[in-house]
Amino acid sequence: MTEITVTPLGAGQDVGRSCILLSIGGKNIMLDCGMHMGYNDERRFPDFTYVTKEGRLTQHLDCVIISHFHLDHCGALPYMSEMVGYDGPIYMTHPTKAICPILLEDYRKITVERKGETNFFTSEMIKTCMKKVIAVNLHQTMQVDDEMEIKAYYAGHVLGAAMFHIKVGQQSVVYTGDYNMTPDRHLGAAWIDKCRPDLLITESTYATTIRDSKRCRERDFLKKVHNCVDKGGKVLIPVFALGRAQELCILLETYWDRMNLKVPVYFSLGLTEKANHYYKLFITWTSQKIKKTFVERNMFEFKHIKPFDRAYIDNPGPMVVFATPGMLHAGLSLQVFKRWAPNEKNMVIMPGYCVAGTVGHKILNGVRKLEMENKQMLDVKLAVEYMSFSAHADAKGIMQLISQCEPRNVLLVHGEAVKMEFLKTKIKQEFSIGCFMPANGETAVMETKHNIPVDISLSLLKRESAKVGLLPPDAKRPRVLHGALVMKGSKLQLIDAADALQDFGLAEHQLRFTSTLAFDEEGPTTETADKIYQLVKSQLKDFPTHYSSDGSITISDSVLVQVSGDEESKSVLVSWSYQDEDVGSYLLQLLKSELVT
């Protein structure tokens, strides 16, 4: 019996700052290394003292795996590797490796250059950190060291997002990161094979939600946007630079075309070009529809959507603006929100999940007076709408993934405690497997049991099967398979003992087992021997039996029965070799029930 332990440093009964410590087969792995959008102090990064109180993390971690480029999954990476100290391998997919440094640099600029924070990672640190990255392809088995291997699976969610299957010896774990089990307008659905891991660590952002039809949501979104601009209002849609932004842009572009609308639609300056570049570069990661139409028409080159300039914020008349970041916690989206919030004609549509502590989370929870950084109060009079275009699996999708990969245990992260509790109960009821939900800093321990595969030789199987067929069935007693366990190459094999002795050039030594039964019975010993002979013939009729002139009975060449005693008391000696243990022990039980009262 061995153990797998999991300690969340972030995303334990919480969304944001994903960072999970996994110990499996003597290896220590960090799964994601994110920051928390809701904090501006030391709580924004995971507490790495859980790994080590002093010295570099390299001595305590075998590798780091990053599931995708969202900052709540990779935002603390340069801080961890360059400021705390980690020199080991960092694994991520090719798109994640390409996009990650761009988002980290944007985040650094907002934090250091605009907010003036110190003790933060530099541009140089981002570059040094990314040099430690090893890019992986989908379904490619990567050998981390002699004992550990990892394999990436498509997760949907955003460009380059992957689930990782980690295997050390007989133990294995699947970490999902964020994933989406339904395809959208620009990405396919997550998929994994029936790998039956000891543990599935899954996100649970929408643990209690079963989403309505995608078409209904899209129609509702377009109707709300159209109604607002029709009345002369401005619509702000806060998005992450890559992901939901592209899906909603495709949706709005086709609608504007169909309705022949002239209202300007804008996207954060510079990010559209970067997004298009990466979607073209990694076209194989997109949905089937985009791959098919890409030769004739690039769906990411928009006719109606133009780059946005900050000078346009106070332009008169209606407009639609996609601005980053997606939770209104900083940057252009927050700047635009501050200017448009006091006007009730305007609208903000939040298309995804917002972490606690962000402006997005506050307004979605009904806060209409916000204290901003300069201590000034902001009246929120514009309409606030929430439409879940978030690319996370809903409750149905999470259950679907569990069915797909058939884990022995499930551990929930990246969700709210109350919702996790509900899902935990559902998983236990439906799948009858262990389910865990540790909080940040808590350790969950899973015991794993493994069977070692053994090849059985055909000759041994035939001989033992024939023997089993000859004995009366007994459901309570397991059958013993007699053979020699040998290691051939890297495989264990169970072969006939005689074959093993021959292979190794050894002489056979007989090992025999003997048991004596004493009982009272009147009459000569020959009568008792006759009685036993008749019993053996009726109960073990398929075994060759020989009755000798000296009163002994031989069964199957190996089992010997000898009766001795006087006219009043008798004793029966039963002796057998290890090859016929089943026959010997069965016969002993038979004689006990028939002769000993």
Side-chain angles (χ1 to χ4, degrees):
M1 194 86 77
T2 46
E3 288 179 349
I4 291 173
T5 65
V6 178
T7 309
L9 303 189
Q13 298 181 13
D14 185 21
V15 178
R17 195 181 54 198
S18 282
C19 186
I20 320 291
L21 289 180
L22 166 69
S23 288
I24 170 173
K27 304 287 177 184
N28 296 320
I29 301 140
M30 184 180 284
L31 303 167
D32 281 333
C33 189
M35 49 79 64
H36 203 296
M37 309 284 188
Y39 299 120
N40 289 319
D41 52 24
E42 72 282 348
R43 290 173 297 173
R44 109 177 98 210
F45 292 143
D47 183 356
F48 297 111
T49 59
Y50 273 94
V51 185
T52 177
K53 297 270 190 292
E54 54 186 45
R56 297 177 77 76
L57 300 176
T58 317
Q59 282 77 47
H60 307 275
L61 289 176
D62 291 281
C63 75
V64 174
I65 294 171
I66 303 295
S67 62
H68 64 290
F69 59 67
H70 278 159
L71 290 176
D72 62 327
H73 293 259
C74 73
L77 197 55
Y79 174 79
M80 187 271 298
S81 71
E82 306 315 304
M83 296 176 80
V84 180
Y86 172 73
D87 307 309
I90 300 165
Y91 293 93
M92 56 180 77
T93 66
H94 288 276
T96 307
K97 186 182 179 181
I99 298 161
C100 206
I102 295 161
L103 298 187
L104 286 168
E105 182 55 28
D106 278 355
Y107 172 43
R108 187 200 67 78
K109 275 181 185 166
I110 290 167
T111 311
V112 178
E113 293 174 18
R114 289 188 205 154
K115 294 186 181 174
E117 285 194 36
T118 54
N119 193 31
F120 208 77
F121 54 78
T122 63
S123 296
E124 201 51 49
M125 286 177 185
I126 296 171
K127 287 175 192 165
T128 312
C129 168
M130 295 312 291
K131 284 176 187 168
K132 295 167 185 171
V133 171
I134 298 166
V136 300
N137 297 314
L138 287 177
H139 309 298
Q140 173 195 7
T141 300
M142 291 285 286
Q143 209 66 43
V144 177
D145 57 30
D146 291 343
E147 295 162 303
M148 176 169 35
E149 62 183 45
I150 62 171
K151 189 176 181 181
Y153 290 90
Y154 190 80
H157 188 64
V158 290
L159 194 67
M163 300 186 270
F164 282 87
H165 185 205
I166 301 135
K167 204 172 172 194
V168 182
Q170 289 284 311
Q171 293 179 303
S172 68
V173 170
V174 167
Y175 173 60
T176 66
D178 293 349
Y179 64 102
N180 193 4
M181 293 299 284
T182 50
D184 58 33
R185 283 174 182 263
H186 75 305
L187 293 174
W191 180 87
I192 194 165
D193 54 23
K194 215 174 274 298
C195 51
R196 296 186 177 94
D198 292 298
L199 174 65
L200 170 71
I201 303 174
T202 175
E203 66 131 317
S204 52
T205 319
Y206 291 104
T208 56
T209 309
I210 292 178
R211 286 206 201 92
D212 55 0
S213 141
K214 195 88 183 279
R215 293 273 169 221
C216 294
R217 244 176 305 146
E218 289 177 349
R219 272 200 303 271
D220 201 15
F221 169 75
L222 294 168
K223 190 177 167 187
K224 282 185 166 83
V225 173
H226 197 164
N227 285 349
C228 183
V229 295
D230 240 10
K231 293 169 187 167
K234 294 174 169 64
V235 181
L236 169 65
I237 306 166
V239 285
F240 289 111
L242 290 107
R244 249 21 52 213
Q246 280 67 41
E247 187 187 356
L248 296 176
C249 282
I250 293 168
L251 187 60
L252 219 55
E253 172 80 8
T254 50
Y255 183 76
W256 246 237
D257 223 21
R258 194 166 73 242
M259 304 299 287
N260 198 25
L261 297 176
K262 302 300 176 201
V263 173
V265 182
Y266 299 110
F267 200 117
S268 297
L269 188 66
L271 285 170
T272 320
E273 290 82 356
K274 279 177 190 168
N276 285 342
H277 169 70
Y278 287 113
Y279 276 99
K280 281 181 206 169
L281 191 61
F282 300 110
I283 192 74
T284 54
W285 286 77
T286 60
S287 67
Q288 285 301 116
K289 189 180 176 186
I290 286 183
K291 277 187 268 199
K292 273 183 198 167
T293 58
F294 193 74
V295 181
E296 303 137 39
R297 182 172 65 94
N298 177 5
M299 287 180 86
F300 298 110
E301 281 171 4
F302 306 115
K303 185 170 72 179
H304 299 282
I305 302 167
K306 303 283 182 261
F308 184 72
D309 191 292
R310 285 169 198 273
Y312 301 167
I313 293 179
D314 296 319
N315 278 8
M319 68 172 85
V320 179
V321 173
F322 289 94
T324 59
M327 299 186 193
L328 290 178
H329 59 280
L332 180 65
S333 60
L334 185 59
Q335 197 181 340
V336 174
F337 174 77
K338 285 178 189 173
R339 297 290 264 277
W340 293 1
N343 189 335
E344 60 265 5
K345 275 170 75 176
N346 299 335
M347 177 186 283
V348 60
I349 298 178
M350 305 300 296
Y353 189 89
C354 288
V355 166
T358 59
V359 171
H361 185 267
K362 286 171 187 170
I363 62 168
L364 284 174
N365 282 281
V367 176
R368 288 295 172 260
K369 276 194 181 295
L370 290 168
E371 188 181 329
M372 305 316 286
E373 285 167 355
N374 52 11
K375 299 291 180 193
Q376 287 184 325
M377 297 306 289
L378 177 71
D379 283 326
V380 180
K381 291 183 180 174
L382 84 177
V384 177
E385 297 286 348
Y386 173 70
M387 307 203 70
S388 178
F389 283 97
S390 191
H392 291 269
D394 62 1
K396 192 176 164 189
I398 295 166
M399 299 301 270
Q400 193 185 331
L401 185 83
I402 295 169
S403 297
Q404 230 174 68
C405 79
E406 293 187 358
R408 293 184 181 93
N409 296 282
V410 172
L411 188 140
L412 304 175
V413 294
H414 201 285
E416 294 162 31
V418 178
K419 293 178 180 177
M420 280 180 171
E421 279 289 1
F422 173 83
L423 186 63
K424 181 181 173 180
T425 307
K426 203 163 180 285
I427 289 166
K428 282 185 164 181
Q429 281 171 353
E430 197 157 321
F431 298 103
S432 303
I433 55 176
C435 189
F436 305 82
M437 44 172 283
N440 288 330
E442 281 181 8
T443 300
V445 181
M446 279 121 285
E447 287 190 339
T448 62
K449 215 190 287 181
H450 284 282
N451 299 320
I452 299 167
V454 176
D455 290 341
I456 302 173
S457 75
L458 194 60
S459 61
L460 175 69
L461 210 53
K462 278 180 179 173
R463 182 171 67 75
E464 292 292 324
S465 298
K467 193 193 294 180
V468 167
L470 295 171
L471 282 169
D474 185 353
K476 292 177 185 175
R477 194 161 58 89
R479 297 293 182 192
V480 178
L481 206 60
H482 293 286
L485 195 63
V486 295
M487 187 78 128
K488 290 199 173 180
S490 60
K491 285 187 174 179
L492 277 175
Q493 290 186 323
L494 190 65
I495 62 174
D496 196 299
D499 293 343
L501 289 166
Q502 195 177 340
D503 284 356
F504 294 112
L506 298 171
E508 185 174 357
H509 294 272
Q510 275 284 343
L511 181 67
R512 292 191 70 82
F513 302 90
T514 305
S515 189
T516 305
L517 288 175
F519 56 97
D520 294 327
E521 186 173 89
E522 291 183 356
T525 55
T526 50
E527 275 183 25
T528 306
D530 281 341
K531 186 178 173 183
I532 293 170
Y533 179 61
Q534 295 307 321
L535 184 66
V536 168
K537 281 187 76 174
S538 66
Q539 294 297 320
L540 297 169
K541 52 189 170 200
D542 292 312
F543 286 84
T545 307
H546 180 68
Y547 193 6
S548 301
S549 54
D550 63 355
S552 64
I553 302 162
T554 309
I555 306 151
S556 184
D557 298 328
S558 156
V559 184
L560 179 73
V561 182
Q562 187 81 51
V563 183
S564 59
D566 54 33
E567 286 288 327
E568 292 179 5
S569 61
K570 312 278 185 298
S571 63
V572 177
L573 177 139
V574 182
S575 168
W576 64 90
S577 80
Y578 76 95
Q579 288 152 314
D580 280 307
E581 187 184 348
D582 268 350
V583 184
S585 53
Y586 174 73
L587 179 63
L588 203 59
Q589 293 303 317
L590 193 63
L591 294 176
K592 277 181 182 174
S593 62
E594 294 292 327
L595 301 177
V596 183
T597 53

